[in-house]
């Protein structure tokens, strides 16, 4: 197992679209284990493959009491409600902002056994699912907030880096 390097905002790979995984090979399963280890090491709630530089449609989420949720080719098929909560991202260290998301989502995906599954989640896990699936399309949480708020965040980020 290995801890992977997390790409931070500004790296072009975070803006690219990931490709579907066609076959679940031992390499893919190893990669999922590495992603999970990386997420837990950095105390993240979730991690998407492009955040470690791989343009594959794979996400991992810390499902708390139910353990690790690892999804291949996930797709949101149903949404319900709306809620605004504070959100962060491992690619934006120490930055948080309020983002509007659906409060409940149903996601279709393939699990590590290669089975087609459907899960319905609410609250924090629903938020993490939407955030991580966005990453697979090159969408970042700062794209989901107002222009002014985004500018403030990006300025803060610039100051951190200099
Ligand atoms: Zn993120």
């Amino acid at each position: 197992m290995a801890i992977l390097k997390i790409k931070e905002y500004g790296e072009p790979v975070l803006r690219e679209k990931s490709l579907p995984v066609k076959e679940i090979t031992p390499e893919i399963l190893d990669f999922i284990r590495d992603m999970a280890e990386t997420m837990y090491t950095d105390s993240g709630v979730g991690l998407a493959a492009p955040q470690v530089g791989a343009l594959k449609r794979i996400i991992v989420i810390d499902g708390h009491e139910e353990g690790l949720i690892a999804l291949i080719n996930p797709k949101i098929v149903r949404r319900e409600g709306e809620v605004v909560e504070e959100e962060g991202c491992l690619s934006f260290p120490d930055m948080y902002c309020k983002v509007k998301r659906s409060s409940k989502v149903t996601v279709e995906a393939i699990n590590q056994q290669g089975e087609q599954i459907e899960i319905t989640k609410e609250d924090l896990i629903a938020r993490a699912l939407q955030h991580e699936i966005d990453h697979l399309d090159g969408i970042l949480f700062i794209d989901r907030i107002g222009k002014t708020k985004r500018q403030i965040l990006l300025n803060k980020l610039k100051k951190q880096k200099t």
Side-chain angles (χ1 to χ4, degrees), residues 57-152:
R57 300 190 82 83
I58 300 173
I59 62 170
V60 292
I61 285 169
D62 172 15
H64 297 286
E65 61 276 3
E66 65 178 291
L68 177 72
I69 301 172
L71 301 176
I72 300 162
N73 302 339
K75 198 175 148 208
I76 296 172
V77 292
R78 220 166 23 249
R79 297 173 176 274
E80 253 178 70
E82 220 175 62
V83 64
V84 178
E85 284 285 354
E86 191 127 288
E87 202 169 305
C89 176
L90 289 177
S91 297
F92 291 78
D94 303 318
M95 296 194 82
Y96 302 90
C97 62
K98 290 195 182 234
V99 185
K100 194 199 281 178
R101 300 279 187 188
S102 303
S103 50
K104 186 173 169 184
V105 293
T106 299
V107 172
E108 272 180 12
I110 296 167
N111 65 13
Q112 287 159 281
Q113 287 73 47
E115 301 153 345
Q116 183 78 42
I117 54 162
E118 190 186 277
I119 57 169
T120 298
K121 297 287 171 194
E122 290 178 88
D123 306 322
L124 181 66
I125 300 195
R127 174 166 295 273
L129 283 165
Q130 294 166 79
H131 178 113
E132 303 311 333
I133 291 171
D134 267 356
H135 272 299
L136 303 181
D137 292 315
I139 300 167
L140 301 172
F141 74 142
I142 55 164
D143 302 334
R144 302 244 181 240
I145 61 178
K147 213 174 164 185
T148 318
K149 266 209 265 173
R150 177 161 58 237
Q151 207 47 55
I152 294 169

